Amino acid sequence: MKRKVFDLRGWSRARRHTQTVLHIPGFVIVDFTAHEVGRVLDVPFGERTVRILDHGFRWVRVHPTGTGEDTLGDALTAMLDASGAARQLYVDIHGGEGVGEDGLPWCDDLYLDVIADWTPDGRVTEVHVIDGDELEDAVRAGLVTAALAEAAWARARTVEAELRAGTYPPLRVMTDYLRDPYT
């Protein structure tokens, strides 16, 4: 596994940006806006390509707190364009999470991710589980056990089903925050 801290301030793609961190019960929200980017970011999504980073785009992370280290979980990031339109949801499947002394969330990434199209009211229209090859490589390299990989796949399928059904809890936190940011 690789430990990832959700802190985009040093991201070389974003030349000028702002980032705010908000702690609410059960979650940390990191709201990052790339005001000026050096390189746009386009990613595959099903049969098409989606732009998820350009001038004025926001990435908002809803990161649960409380599951702790060595506990399977997930964290949600929404990518929004400069007008606030939804571009993509991205869910990291992880093997532990927490909040550092700096107040920023971290997770022990299990390589597997769930991506989705969604509408601002929280309705998910298309979902894909991605990066299974990265998880398989990590198992072969001895970085992740076969049992943990199997659990990650089960968690990814649960997240996929919850997104499709509109019952994924972090998505409700996200839509509430985007509708009326907590201040």
Side-chain angles (χ1 to χ4, degrees), residues 5-54:
V5 176
F6 195 80
D7 182 5
L8 298 175
R9 293 175 296 181
W11 197 12
S12 63
R13 285 184 184 266
R15 291 186 178 147
R16 196 170 51 83
H17 61 272
T18 55
Q19 178 172 290
T20 58
V21 179
L22 177 66
H23 296 260
I24 63 171
F27 297 91
V28 175
I29 297 174
V30 180
D31 193 337
F32 176 87
T33 301
H35 301 289
E36 181 184 340
V37 299
R39 287 182 299 144
V40 300
L41 181 56
D42 296 326
V43 297
F45 186 92
E47 299 295 319
R48 64 189 192 283
T49 299
V50 175
R51 177 152 297 165
I52 61 169
L53 181 69
D54 204 338

Side-chain angles (χ1 to χ4, degrees), residues 12 36 47 61-62 68 76 99 110 119 125 133 143-144 167:
S12 63
E36 181 184 340
E47 299 295 319
R61 173 80 158 203
V62 172
L76 171 67
V99 178
L110 284 173
T119 61
T125 57
D133 55 336
L143 300 172
V144 175
T167 60

Side-chain angles (χ1 to χ4, degrees), residues 14 21 111 123 165 181:
V21 179
Y111 307 95
R123 189 173 53 84

Side-chain angles (χ1 to χ4, degrees), residues 106-126:
W106 59 265
C107 69
D108 291 331
D109 188 31
L110 284 173
Y111 307 95
L112 206 55
D113 304 297
V114 181
I115 57 174
D117 261 352
W118 62 299
T119 61
D121 64 352
R123 189 173 53 84
V124 171
T125 57
E126 184 178 347

Side-chain angles (χ1 to χ4, degrees), residues 85-98:
R87 302 299 289 186
Q88 179 177 272
L89 291 175
Y90 188 97
V91 180
D92 287 296
I93 305 299
H94 63 71
E97 56 83 14

